[in-house]
Structure formats: C-alpha cells, structure tokens
Amino acid sequence: MAVEELQSIIKRCQILEEQDFKEEDFGLFQLAGQRCIDEGHIDQLLEIIQNEKNKIIIRNMGWNLVGPVVRCLLWNDKESDKRKDYLLMLDLLVKLCNPKELLLGLLELIEEPSGKQISQIILLLLRPLQTVIQKLHNNKAYSVGLALSTLWNQLSLLPVPYSKEQIQTDEYGLCQCCKASIEFTKPFVEEVIDAKENSLENEKLKDELLKFCFKSLKCPLLTAPFLEQPEEARNDPLKYFASEIIGFLSAIGDPFSKMIFNHRRKKRIWKHLEFEEEEDKQLADSMASLAYLVFVQGISIDQLPMVLSPLYLLQFNMGHIEVFLQRTEESVFYKGLDLLENGLLRIEDNSLLHQYLEIKSFLTVPQGLVKVMTLCPIETLRKKGLAMLQLYINKLDSQGKNTLFRCLLNTSNHSGVEAFIIQNIKNQIDVSLKRSHDNKWFTGPQLISLLDLVLFLPEGAETDLLQNSDRVTRCMISAPLAYPAFRYSAYRFATKHL
C-alpha cells in the first residue's frame, strides 16, 4: 500500500515542472517514503530512487528521506542484513539530492542526539556531510564554518576520557570522533593550501578552519590526558588529534613561531573582526593548551627557533601556567605543573632575577601553587605542587627569594605553608652564614624585617597559639636563633605581644 501510494505521488509529480512542485507534494512524498521504510519496502524504494525518470523529483524531495534512513541505521544492529541497503540508500540520496537542503538536514540530524548517540551519528554522517559540502560551489566557507561549529558543539558535550583504560574503551566515542573530524577537515585545509589565488572566499574558509583548530585546542585538548609510555603514545588517539590540529595551524596560519609568540601583542595577527572577537573568548585557554602540547609534549617544537633563551621561554609560558592553575580539573593542574617544571629545569639555581617578580604572573603562579598544595584533594597533585614551589624558590636570586617569602607569608593564611616558608628562610640564613661574602637579604636589617613577618601574630594577644604554634616553634627552636638578627626580632616580638 505504501509503495503504491508513493508511486502515485511520483507519477503525478513527473508531469510537473520543478518550479511547480507544491509544499503539499513534499509532505505527501515524505509520509509515503517513510511508510515504505517503516514497512520494510527497501528494495522497491531503492528502485524508485535510482529510476532516471524520477531524477528531478528525488533531487528536490529526496532529502526528506535522509532522517528516516539515518534513524533506521542507528536502531538496527550493525550485523543486520538491511544495514547495507540503508547505507546504499543514504549514499544515493547524498549523491542525487539538492546539496543545500541536504546540508541543513544533515546538520539538524547531528544536533539532535545526546549521550552515546552523539558519537554514533557523527561517525555515520561526517563523510556524507563532507561530500555534500564539496558539491557546493557558492558560500563554501560559510557551509564549512557551520558544519565545524555544529561538530565542535556536539564534541564538547562528550566526556573526555581521563585514564589509559578509558581512552582504550572510548565508551562515548570521543576518540573516534576526533579522528573522524580530522578526516572531515583535511580536504578543506588542502583546498586552502592549494589555492592559486588568495581570494576573499579562500580567506574566509581559512578563518573558519582556524576557529575550529583553536576551539579544539580548548575542548577537548585542554583537559585531555596523554599516554606517557613511548609505545603507548604512538597509538594515543588524542595525541594524534593534537598533532593533526597543530599541523593544520602550521599549514594555513601564520608562521608557527609568530602564531605562538605574538598572540598577546596589542597588534592582532588576525585579519577579520569576528575572529578577534572569538579570540577574546577562546584564545587564553587555547594558547595555554598549545604551549603545553609544544613545550611538554614536543609536538612541532622543531619549528621554533633554537636561539630562544630558557629565561625567555619561562617568562613566555608563565602566563599560560597561570591559566592552567586557575582551572579546577585535575588533568589541567597536571599540565600547568608539567609546563612550569619544563621551564624551570632549563635554568640554573639562583639565576632568576628578582626583577621578574614585577611581572604579575611570576607572583600569581606561586600563589596558584599554594592553592594546589592546600586545597586540592589529590595527594599526588599536592606533593607535585609543593615540589614545584620549592623548585621555583631555588631558581630565584636572594632578593627574589626574600620578596617571594614576604608575599606568601602575607597571603597564604595556612599554617603548613607558613611552616614551609619559615623552613626555607632558615635554610637561606644557614647558606648566608656559610658563604664567604655577605648576603644582605638574609642578614642584618633585611632579615629583621622579614622575621617581623614570621613572628607576627595576626590577632595580637588574642591569637590562638595552638593554631600558630608551628610557625612560632620553628623560629624559636632553630639554631640560628643565636644569630643577632633572630635575637633582636624575637625580643621585639616578646615586648610587643607578651
């Protein structure tokens, strides 16, 4: 019955001109076609679609059948005999139907699902979507941008796997979707590269691709972990995705070093206003992610000039480390700590001049480390945060150490952190006493001023000594107490508070 009804509609439309098709005809065709699919008349429907006499009708109305076919593909088991017929029908519709209508229809289908069905429909429809866009000759940049935006919005809803087992299982399909999105994007990147003339349409297409790359650096790559063992890293799908995204940026963006090092300059490197607005929203997280991938994971690091000094690289990356430490995800904390460690290990102890502390990030990063040490529920992260703070202290010169100790004593409000700082002060005093030359930052008046902060009771005589006993005891029982500065500061403390 459904087949006869569909054939009747087609017979009536065959005598009409294309412009004479009515909205009613579209609706009747869709209902009859869907009934054929529901009742299993696939062979007859395939014959109708492939009939040359129905070419104009299928071109204009056939896109209405894509949704029902896709739903059948999602519902039916992958081993089902009918699946091949459904896939053939989808391929025929993509080949024969109006690409403009198909584009909108496919994007609507990609936007619909949630949960695990997101990856299923993306993996099913990305290749047909790519074919449809390649058939469009006008406004291709707009179509590519619309498709990539829809794809990224759906990918951002999928949970990022956080362990080796989760990556291998890929329960929600994010890793497969990342690989599929690379295959989807690659022909359009090649089109930009191969363009013989730098037309406005080509520039627009390049900007749409760059937007997608920078969005991908933020999600999923900002929070994505990477397998550490070399034999595992070669098969890491997320690292493959990161390498390809950076490869796209290198191929169609500005020179790689300019793209990395110039992004904070007042003079923007992007030519279009929309991308500058996008930059304001996305670029801080994206560039932090890119810095981690380049300097820690080593992706495309060979494209950077080798003449850059370790201190310059540390200064450059401190802003990115600050971004990492402002987040709350465990994997992002690790990336910030790894990037900091990577920069600090390149420079010698006591070589980081105190003037660097005039740069905001050089003070906010150690304060961020304190928050990791005191607030993070994961012990390994707390320990690594502590180790990085100690490494950072070791790299500062004497005046820088003195300045940082003052800052942390004033801002930490945590007895454990204060005890850690006091221990470092004692160590610096010990080093100063053993050196042949005098270190004025941990002797004499500078030391007395610093010890006033150490022995300061926040609430005066009402201070809870039990809560502050650790910081007071560490000072009072230390061997350097015999040193005049300690004695003088202790005397001032006693006369003021006791």
Side-chain angles (χ1 to χ4, degrees), residues 29 76 91 123 136 160 167 180 204 240 248 262 291 323 325 335 358 386 394 421 453 455 457 486:
F29 178 90
N76 281 273
D91 288 342
L123 295 173
L136 293 168
V160 177
I167 291 173
K204 289 181 179 179
Y240 165 78
F248 291 164
N262 284 12
V323 170
L325 297 183
K335 289 181 179 183
E358 296 174 8
L386 177 64
N394 294 344
I421 298 301
L453 279 176
L455 295 171
L457 294 180
F486 260 93

Side-chain angles (χ1 to χ4, degrees), residues 330-426:
E330 172 190 348
S331 61
V332 180
F333 279 154
Y334 273 118
K335 289 181 179 183
L337 297 176
D338 287 343
L339 186 57
L340 178 60
E341 183 177 30
N342 179 273
L344 291 175
L345 290 177
R346 297 171 185 267
I347 62 178
E348 297 181 1
D349 287 356
N350 306 306
S351 64
L352 187 58
L353 300 178
H354 63 275
Q355 287 91 340
Y356 281 95
L357 294 178
E358 296 174 8
I359 302 171
K360 179 188 172 186
S361 58
F362 277 80
L363 281 178
T364 55
V365 164
Q367 290 172 334
L369 292 175
V370 168
K371 290 180 181 178
V372 173
M373 292 160 47
T374 56
L375 301 178
C376 183
I378 301 164
E379 183 180 6
T380 53
L381 265 175
R382 294 198 303 270
K383 287 183 176 179
K384 181 151 189 177
L386 177 64
M388 289 304 100
L389 182 56
Q390 185 62 66
L391 183 62
Y392 184 70
I393 291 170
N394 294 344
K395 302 303 176 182
L396 288 165
D397 65 11
S398 295
Q399 185 175 349
K401 289 182 175 72
N402 185 295
T403 302
L404 182 62
F405 293 157
R406 291 174 183 276
C407 173
L408 295 181
L409 285 172
N410 281 321
T411 60
S412 68
N413 296 318
H414 188 279
S415 59
V417 176
E418 291 167 352
F420 170 77
I421 298 301
I422 291 168
Q423 182 62 50
N424 269 275
I425 293 172
K426 288 165 58 180

Side-chain angles (χ1 to χ4, degrees), residues 143-168:
S143 301
V144 170
L146 192 61
L148 290 175
S149 177
T150 302
L151 173 60
W152 184 82
N153 287 337
Q154 290 299 94
L155 288 179
S156 66
L157 299 176
L158 294 174
V160 177
Y162 284 105
S163 67
K164 175 184 174 182
E165 292 73 22
Q166 289 179 353
I167 291 173
Q168 292 173 342

Side-chain angles (χ1 to χ4, degrees), residues 109-170:
L109 288 169
I110 291 174
E111 283 180 322
E112 282 179 4
S114 59
K116 294 181 181 179
Q117 279 200 338
I118 291 176
S119 60
Q120 294 174 12
I121 200 130
I122 285 175
L123 295 173
L124 178 63
L125 294 184
L126 272 192
R127 190 175 294 276
L129 182 62
Q130 182 188 72
T131 302
V132 168
I133 294 176
Q134 287 175 324
K135 290 168 68 176
L136 293 168
H137 300 294
N138 297 323
N139 295 323
K140 180 180 281 189
Y142 173 78
S143 301
V144 170
L146 192 61
L148 290 175
S149 177
T150 302
L151 173 60
W152 184 82
N153 287 337
Q154 290 299 94
L155 288 179
S156 66
L157 299 176
L158 294 174
V160 177
Y162 284 105
S163 67
K164 175 184 174 182
E165 292 73 22
Q166 289 179 353
I167 291 173
Q168 292 173 342
T169 305
D170 196 22

Side-chain angles (χ1 to χ4, degrees), residues 201-233:
E201 182 66 16
N202 195 59
E203 282 294 305
K204 289 181 179 179
L205 178 57
K206 181 170 74 172
D207 281 353
E208 295 296 345
L209 293 167
L210 287 172
K211 286 180 187 179
F212 175 71
C213 289
F214 276 93
K215 282 184 174 182
S216 297
L217 286 171
K218 178 177 180 179
C219 181
L221 291 176
L222 182 68
T223 57
F226 299 100
L227 301 177
E228 295 180 0
Q229 299 302 324
E231 61 275 10
E232 296 174 343

